[in-house]
Amino acid sequence: MMCNDVRDLLALDPKSEDGVVHAHLSECEICASYRRQHQTLDVVLRAEMRWEAPAALTASVISATRPSC
């Protein structure tokens, strides 16, 4: 597998468990470094995308969707 192919796969899934990718990473330090960087970025982005709505907003949305009798 070529470096560009491996990097394309890793950009989509930094935690890829594909055997061919792992074989390439064991032989290519540049791609292994690329994977480590993307794994770190993936962790940071996932943490940033996780947020909790304020309680007042949640209550407002719930009350707005309840049918009034």
Side-chain angles (χ1 to χ4, degrees):
M1 187 170 259
M2 303 295 292
C3 290
N4 286 337
D5 297 330
V6 169
R7 291 178 192 168
D8 286 345
L9 291 171
L10 292 175
L12 296 173
D13 182 13
K15 296 179 181 180
S16 175
E17 297 297 327
D18 186 294
V20 176
V21 171
H22 277 277
H24 180 85
L25 294 174
S26 68
E27 298 173 3
C28 180
E29 181 53 39
I30 295 170
C31 288
S33 174
Y34 181 88
R35 181 183 195 200
R36 288 189 295 273
Q37 290 172 356
H38 271 270
Q39 284 177 321
T40 302
L41 179 61
D42 189 56
V43 169
V44 170
L45 290 175
R46 287 179 188 276
E48 287 298 316
M49 293 178 73
R50 200 172 291 139
W51 59 278
E52 193 169 319
L57 176 61
T58 302
S60 174
V61 169
I62 290 172
S63 69
T65 58
R66 286 189 184 149
S68 47
C69 297

